[in-house]
Amino acid sequence: MSQDWEIAIQRTINNNVPRVHKILENHKYILDLAKKLREAKMRVLSDLETYVEQTLEAVKRTGGNAYFVNNAEEAKEIVGKIVGKGKIVVFGKSMVAYELGIRKYLQQLGNEVWETDLGEFLIQLADEPPSHIIAPAVHMTKERVAKLLKEKLGFDVSESSSHEELVQKVREFLRNKFLSANVGITGANAVAADVGSIVLVENEGNIRMSTVVPPVHIAIVGVEKIVPTLEDALIEALVQAAYAGLYPPTYINVTSGPSSTGDIEMKRVSPAHGPKEFHLILVDNGRLKASKDPILREALLCIRCGRCHLHCPIYRVLDGSWGDAPYSGPMGAMWSYIIYNDYKPALYCTHSGNCKEVCPMKINIPRVLEYIKYMGNKQRSDK
């Protein structure tokens, strides 16, 4: 365990874990919402193909464009055609886009591409994989962040700079990127099958900028993020924020097609001040296969709160490198198998069970990882 990691992860745990306990104690209705959300997500996962089709049709009704892709190659082809070359692209945050290699692909096409989530921005500068599902630069101490910003961008900061000073410097740098961007790319916390809306929860404001300022908005989302209704999607945003320890969230964004107005005779037309184009790309990449397995299906319930990471003894001693990027920690061990067919991260699990106890979706992560270990042994014996 590196000294930087030991310091960074202990600071993170001290900042986050007590705060989540306090949130759940003070807002007990979150527990009921989490239970309702699990039920809604299970309904979708039991008939995922039907909900995919329903979502695609709903997006088209709002004036958006919707696509279903099987893998990274198909996703890159669609995104490449929409974006083109020589553009400025801002990423609000999308783990699925990272999974598919979208940012580096767009850079190879000759586009200027910037991550705008602070953590993602830092690991882009460092050219490192994320170490946590919602706090991708959790392995970096404040002192290392200051050094990175000074070395890579020439910022006038030092190791004694405050957290606030470091954030302000990044804000100033990225503001111009937002205002000059041609395309904004995000993920989604949830997608409502009934109306085709995507819901994004955030605190920085970068997602709001990425989805409103550029004339084109692309959302790249795994099919497991589909929920039956917009009500369910909003519930997912609340539950995710609470279990992530950032409650109430600063922003909850709802996007339903391109920008629109009804201010002339109450006739709704598009576009208005926001994006003139909205594109939703629903991604399979192993998810549909997992949904048909009664044990692996549980992993698709994950809402990416990252709580399992901070309660796992293995994650804490492995310097945040447990799992295949961008998926790390206990949930990452499950997702490494679903997406990359890599069973090896599951072998590290010692089945302490803390992850299961703190998971808002009550995913039996130890059981899923035990199953993946079995499947890995079967793969080896079949060779």
Side-chain angles (χ1 to χ4, degrees):
M1 185 189 301
S2 71
Q3 186 176 8
D4 269 4
W5 167 258
E6 190 172 0
I7 294 170
I9 193 61
Q10 193 57 55
R11 288 176 180 173
T12 300
I13 291 170
N14 292 343
N15 287 331
N16 180 270
V17 173
R19 190 168 65 236
V20 175
H21 283 294
K22 187 176 181 179
I23 289 168
L24 297 180
E25 180 65 27
N26 291 343
H27 307 284
K28 295 185 184 298
Y29 60 85
I30 294 292
L31 303 178
D32 294 329
L33 292 179
K35 182 179 179 180
K36 183 176 181 180
L37 178 61
R38 177 187 164 94
E39 293 170 353
K41 291 176 77 69
M42 284 300 291
R43 287 200 301 275
V44 173
L45 294 176
S46 66
D47 191 13
L48 192 48
E49 289 96 336
T50 298
Y51 278 96
V52 167
E53 290 301 320
Q54 184 179 339
T55 304
L56 295 173
E57 290 303 315
V59 171
K60 293 172 185 175
R61 287 198 302 270
T62 66
N65 301 283
Y67 319 83
F68 170 79
V69 298
N70 292 289
N71 50 44
E73 289 70 28
E74 292 180 8
K76 288 175 182 176
E77 181 180 0
I78 290 172
V79 174
K81 288 180 179 178
I82 297 169
V83 175
K85 300 178 180 180
K87 305 291 178 56
I88 298 176
V89 183
V90 289
F91 273 69
K93 189 173 187 180
S94 173
M95 291 296 97
V96 180
Y98 189 107
E99 168 193 320
L100 302 171
I102 299 298
R103 171 165 57 83
K104 292 188 175 181
Y105 171 72
L106 291 176
Q107 289 172 323
Q108 290 169 1
L109 291 180
N111 296 289
E112 179 185 347
V113 186
W114 292 99
E115 298 281 0
T116 65
D117 171 82
L118 180 54
E120 295 288 345
F121 177 74
L122 294 173
I123 65 170
Q124 179 183 2
L125 292 181
D127 195 22
E128 295 175 357
S131 54
H132 188 274
I133 197 67
I134 63 166
V138 73
H139 59 288
M140 295 186 187
T141 61
K142 176 180 73 72
E143 293 77 13
R144 189 186 166 207
V145 169
K147 184 179 179 181
L148 180 67
L149 295 175
K150 186 170 185 176
E151 289 180 352
K152 295 293 184 178
L153 297 173
F155 288 179
D156 183 19
V157 295
S158 67
E159 292 186 5
S160 62
S161 295
S162 68
H163 294 79
E164 291 81 3
E165 289 169 336
L166 298 175
V167 171
Q168 179 62 26
K169 290 293 184 182
V170 175
R171 171 191 170 94
E172 292 170 359
F173 175 82
L174 287 177
R175 186 52 54 108
N176 181 58
K177 305 302 178 185
F178 283 123
L179 296 178
S180 56
N182 306 105
V183 180
I185 296 179
T186 68
N189 290 93
V191 185
D194 62 338
V195 293
S197 302
I198 69 167
V199 172
L200 293 132
V201 60
E202 61 160 333
N203 297 283
E204 295 180 23
N206 66 301
I207 290 177
R208 182 157 290 194
M209 298 282 283
S210 300
T211 59
V212 173
V213 178
V216 177
H217 173 202
I218 304 171
I220 305 174
V221 189
V223 292
E224 83 283 1
K225 289 296 182 181
I226 299 172
V227 290
T229 69
L230 182 55
E231 178 187 9
D232 298 316
L234 291 168
I235 287 173
E236 180 152 351
L238 294 175
V239 174
Q240 195 277 345
Y243 279 85
L246 298 167
Y247 194 85
T250 308
Y251 305 105
I252 293 179
N253 305 297
V254 179
T255 297
S256 308
S259 62
S260 64
T261 180
D263 282 357
I264 300 177
E265 298 180 344
M266 296 196 73
K267 178 177 174 62
R268 191 172 188 175
V269 296
S270 294
H273 298 295
K276 62 181 180 180
E277 294 180 24
F278 172 70
H279 303 266
L280 174 66
I281 301 175
L282 292 175
V283 179
D284 175 10
N285 212 28
R287 292 164 171 83
L288 286 173
K289 180 181 178 182
S291 74
K292 293 176 171 55
D293 186 304
I295 297 179
L296 288 180
R297 182 186 300 159
E298 282 272 310
L300 301 182
L301 291 168
C302 178
I303 62 172
R304 309 291 195 265
C305 69
R307 198 177 182 212
C308 60
H309 295 62
L310 303 184
H311 291 264
C312 174
I314 302 303
Y315 175 76
R316 291 174 64 171
V317 301
L318 286 181
D319 289 16
S321 59
W322 180 26
D324 297 313
Y327 304 115
S328 60
M331 60 77 60
M334 298 188 296
W335 279 82
S336 294
Y337 183 73
I338 291 171
I339 302 301
Y340 306 110
N341 195 32
D342 183 4
Y343 62 85
K344 296 183 183 67
L347 300 178
Y348 288 95
C349 178
T350 59
H351 299 277
S352 72
N354 294 349
C355 52
K356 175 186 174 184
E357 295 302 316
V358 300
C359 176
M361 293 295 97
K362 302 302 179 186
I363 302 170
N364 192 339
I365 299 176
R367 178 173 179 244
V368 175
L369 294 182
E370 183 179 31
Y371 176 71
I372 292 172
K373 290 179 182 180
Y374 165 76
M375 296 300 290
N377 287 330
K378 191 172 183 296
Q379 286 181 31
R380 289 200 302 271
S381 63
D382 289 344
K383 289 184 179 178

